[in-house]
Structure formats: structure tokens, C-alpha cells
Amino acid sequence: MQIVKGNGPITGEQIAERLHLTRATLRPDLAILTMAGFLDARPRVGYFYSGKKPGQDISETMNNMKVGDFQSIPVVVREDVSVYDAISQMFLDDVGTLFVVDKKSFLTGVLSRKDLLRTSLGNQDLSTIPVHIIMTRMPNVTFCFKNEPLIQAAHRLINQQIDALPVVIEQPEGLKVIGRLTKTNITRAFLSLSESHEL
Amino acid sequence: MQIVKGNGPITGEQIAERLHLTRATLRPDLAILTMAGFLDARPRVGYFYSGKKPGQDISETMNNMKVGDFQSIPVVVREDVSVYDAISQMFLDDVGTLFVVDKKSFLTGVLSRKDLLRTSLGNQDLSTIPVHIIMTRMPNVTFCFKNEPLIQAAHRLINQQIDALPVVIEQPEGLKVIGRLTKTNITRAFLSLSESHEL
């Protein structure tokens, strides 16, 4: 492996020479390493390192995990709903993040528990403040797509320090919300990795 | 592999016979399969199937991930602190969960954003309610240990629908809090899995 890695493409003859072995002795080993996918062989060129490493299956598995496979149902409120009603909605649906939409159901903002808690500290009447005053509004909303790799969305959750991403479909007039992706979904994905390889 | 799987333990001689090969021809292949861990060999017994499958590395890697490798610093408040001050503390330290301790610093409860948000809906003066009134209290607090596999703690977060676990040390008089494990930590662990296998 090291010889091929450092010198590939290299012929079987040349590898045998370096190891002070005959080509015949080496043949079965090279065959197995090629079958296992660690080496690639091309006629009249020789062996070269395939780039496959032990554990590659993890990245492969992880790249195949899509947002759509793990997303939850979104909970949506209208912009003119009061902060009080939004908090109630949050408890009713037991979610940590609400997505805010306009009359045409296009995404205009996001409300987190943190936003609502901050407002509730303000000693104001929560039933008179509409959510569009306190929400994080477009274009500052980070979102993701159903067919995106889950890893990519997870990176966004961590880098931007947010709890949930709306899963959206792009339309000419705006974004339609079709899902919700949270760290709970990522935690489930993490567990599914261990389960799918337990047996 | 199939012969050993179906007939193991089986000697190299017997495998060679079935394949109409000499023992010498077979030796390198068996050596590689044994080195790679797919077969096990015991002197005077023969070869047997190790049970190792492609992808096993994931479970191995995941089982080696411990809570202590991913935990965050805990944020702790005393039982007599007001709900108002607890919310302020939460924003100050930018955490979603506070751990509550008694005068001797032993764990007595947990406060989530959800607990605080619920209380703030109640139209009461948040600066006069002490947190011990509204917290989830021992023995109903779910916790974990530094040396526990991360998967086990992640299962607890999902099954009990909680945001954060205190990482504790058991002492004769109670539990000392030494860390905080959240779904953010699990999300980071998920990402580290893909990164450690990318290169």
C-alpha cells in the first residue's frame, strides 16, 4: 500500500522488485487489495492508490443522509399573531422554533424560544406585540433544502448557532416552508448511524 | 470467506481441498483476510469468521466517543435565585439550560428555556419567584457521566425529550455537576464523524 501510495502508478513487477519478491508471490496480495478497493489497477499502466481508506463507509453513509430523511413537520404562524399567542402555539405543538409567514404563506421570519423569552423579560403586555416586531426576518433567515446532505445543514446549525432551520422550496415569489430541521433531528441521525451498523 | 463462514472453524488444509488449491497457494490470501480482521485463526483449531463486517468501524468509532470528549461547561444557579435573574443568567451565558444547586453545590434541579418561558406567561412578577418553585427537581433529573458512551447519553436526550443533561460525579451526599451535554454537542459529534473520515 505504501509503495503504491508513494510511487503509483507502478507495475506489479516494480513492486515485486522493491520487496525482493517474485511477481508470482505478490499476485494474490495485489488481487485482494484490488478487490477490496484499496488499490486500482489499469492494464499497461499499473497499480495506483484508490484513495479508499478504512472507515470510508462512514462518509459515504453520511453523504447519503439527506435533510428530507430526517426533517420534522414545521409549525407556522402569521406575522400579525401576538407574542403571547406565539408562545402558546409553541407549547401546544411542543416545538422550540416557529416559522413566520405572510398572507400568501411565504416565509418572512423565524421565532425561537430565545426571542420569545427575551421579549417576555421586557415587562410589556405580550398580547399586544405582534411577532413580526421581534422575529428574525428575511433575508437574515438561514434555511435548507430537502435534498441537501444532512451534514451541510448540521454545519449551518452549528456555525450560525441556531436551533432550527426551515426546510424550504424556492418559488418565484418567495420561499414555501415544507419542513423543520433541528438539532433533535441531527441527534436522531447520529443514533441511526450507530443502529444501522450494530448488526 | 463463505467457506469459513459456513464451516468454521476449518483448517487451511481443508479450505484448500475444497477450492482444489494447494495450502501454499492459499496461504497469502488467508493471511491478508486474517490481518484485515475478517477471519480469526487459532492454532490447531483453524480459521473462523470474526463477525467483522464492512462498516463495523462506525460502531467502533461511535462506541469510543465518550460524553467527556464532547461536553460543555455547565452554568449553575442557586435555588433561591429569582426566575428573572435565572433568565438573565441564561442570556448572559448563552445557554438553553441552567442547573440548580444547593448551598453545598449539590445538584437539586434543572431549568430549561421552556420552564422559564412557561412561567413568564403566567403574568406574575418574575423577580419574586425563586427558581426552586418551577424547576424540574431531583430525583426527576436525568443526568450522565463523563466516561459514558456518547450514544447512550444521546439516547437519553431523545427518549426523555430533554435539551441538556448535567454531567455529574457521584459523591456520598449527592451529585456534583462537572459538565453540560446538549444536542449541540451531539450535533458537533455527528460532524466530527464525517470530518475524521473525510481525509
Side-chain angles (χ1 to χ4, degrees):
Chain A
M1 286 285 286
Q2 270 172 350
I3 292 172
V4 176
K5 222 166 165 178
N7 306 277
I10 182 169
T11 66
E13 205 62 58
Q14 289 166 323
I15 302 171
E17 215 166 88
R18 281 172 176 261
L19 293 170
H20 309 289
L21 294 169
T22 66
R23 175 79 187 85
T25 308
L26 207 58
R27 189 168 289 131
D29 300 67
L30 288 171
I32 287 191
L33 288 173
T34 307
M35 278 190 299
F38 293 112
L39 297 185
D40 275 337
R42 230 171 265 162
R44 267 176 265 179
V45 176
Y47 292 92
F48 54 96
Y49 179 59
S50 69
K52 179 172 167 175
K53 288 170 206 70
Q56 169 121 352
D57 349 3
I58 298 193
S59 339
E60 268 179 45
T61 309
M62 290 184 79
N63 283 328
N64 288 333
M65 294 173 126
K66 302 296 179 206
V67 166
D69 304 330
F70 292 92
Q71 71 187 39
S72 298
I73 294 167
V75 180
V76 160
V77 295
R78 286 274 293 277
E79 298 177 306
D80 47 3
V81 152
S82 74
V83 169
Y84 187 94
D85 286 346
I87 299 177
S88 308
Q89 190 70 49
M90 209 172 244
F91 277 97
L92 208 62
D93 288 297
D94 197 22
V95 291
T97 304
L98 298 173
F99 303 126
V100 186
V101 296
D102 62 18
K103 286 173 195 159
K104 290 177 167 171
S105 294
F106 288 116
L107 181 67
T108 58
V110 167
L111 278 171
S112 68
R113 269 189 200 140
K114 207 169 151 181
D115 296 328
L116 295 170
L117 201 54
R118 187 185 295 113
T119 309
S120 75
L121 271 190
N123 260 328
Q124 307 157 81
D125 182 358
L126 300 178
S127 60
T128 62
I129 312 167
V131 293
H132 69 81
I133 304 280
I134 66 154
M135 71 186 186
T136 300
R137 69 172 50 244
M138 290 288 287
N140 299 320
V141 173
T142 308
F143 49 83
C144 65
F145 300 103
K146 210 178 102 183
N147 296 322
E148 240 183 291
L150 194 65
I151 309 175
Q152 218 167 284
H155 266 295
R156 229 168 290 156
L157 286 170
I158 291 294
N159 294 341
Q160 317 221 5
Q161 298 184 31
I162 43 187
D163 291 324
L165 296 172
V167 187
V168 301
I169 292 178
E170 270 183 318
Q171 290 188 351
E173 310 123 278
L175 302 173
K176 289 277 182 195
V177 182
I178 59 162
R180 178 170 57 96
L181 189 81
T182 67
K183 289 172 188 164
T184 302
N185 300 128
I186 308 290
T187 302
R188 283 184 197 280
F190 177 76
L191 288 174
S192 78
L193 269 180
S194 90
E195 279 146 19
S196 64
H197 292 268
E198 240 160 40
L199 300 175
Chain B
M1 286 286 287
Q2 270 172 351
I3 293 171
V4 176
K5 224 166 164 175
N7 305 279
I10 181 170
T11 65
E13 206 62 59
Q14 290 167 323
I15 303 171
E17 215 166 89
R18 281 172 176 260
L19 293 170
H20 311 290
L21 293 169
T22 66
R23 175 77 187 87
T25 308
L26 206 58
R27 190 167 290 132
D29 301 67
L30 288 172
I32 287 192
L33 288 172
T34 308
M35 280 191 297
F38 294 111
L39 298 185
D40 274 336
R42 231 171 264 162
R44 266 175 266 179
V45 177
Y47 292 92
F48 54 96
Y49 180 60
S50 67
K52 177 171 168 172
K53 288 170 205 70
Q56 169 124 352
D57 351 1
I58 298 195
S59 339
E60 268 180 43
T61 308
M62 291 183 79
N63 283 328
N64 288 332
M65 294 172 126
K66 302 297 178 209
V67 167
D69 304 330
F70 292 93
Q71 71 187 37
S72 298
I73 295 168
V75 180
V76 161
V77 294
R78 286 273 293 277
E79 299 177 306
D80 46 3
V81 152
S82 75
V83 170
Y84 187 93
D85 286 345
I87 299 179
S88 308
Q89 189 71 50
M90 209 172 243
F91 277 98
L92 207 64
D93 288 297
D94 197 21
V95 292
T97 306
L98 298 172
F99 303 125
V100 186
V101 297
D102 63 16
K103 284 175 198 159
K104 289 176 168 173
S105 293
F106 288 116
L107 181 68
T108 58
V110 167
L111 278 172
S112 68
R113 268 189 200 140
K114 207 169 153 182
D115 296 329
L116 295 171
L117 201 54
R118 187 185 296 111
T119 309
S120 75
L121 271 191
N123 258 329
Q124 306 156 81
D125 183 357
L126 300 179
S127 59
T128 63
I129 313 166
V131 293
H132 69 82
I133 304 279
I134 66 154
M135 70 185 187
T136 301
R137 70 173 47 245
M138 290 288 288
N140 299 320
V141 174
T142 308
F143 50 84
C144 66
F145 299 103
K146 209 177 105 184
N147 296 320
E148 241 183 293
L150 194 66
I151 309 174
Q152 219 167 283
H155 266 295
R156 229 167 291 156
L157 286 169
I158 291 295
N159 294 342
Q160 316 222 5
Q161 298 183 32
I162 42 187
D163 291 324
L165 297 172
V167 186
V168 301
I169 292 178
E170 270 183 319
Q171 292 188 347
E173 310 122 277
L175 301 174
K176 289 277 181 193
V177 183
I178 58 162
R180 176 171 60 97
L181 190 81
T182 67
K183 289 170 189 166
T184 302
N185 301 129
I186 308 292
T187 301
R188 283 183 197 279
F190 177 76
L191 289 174
S192 79
L193 269 180
S194 91
E195 280 148 19
S196 64
H197 291 269
E198 239 161 39
L199 300 175

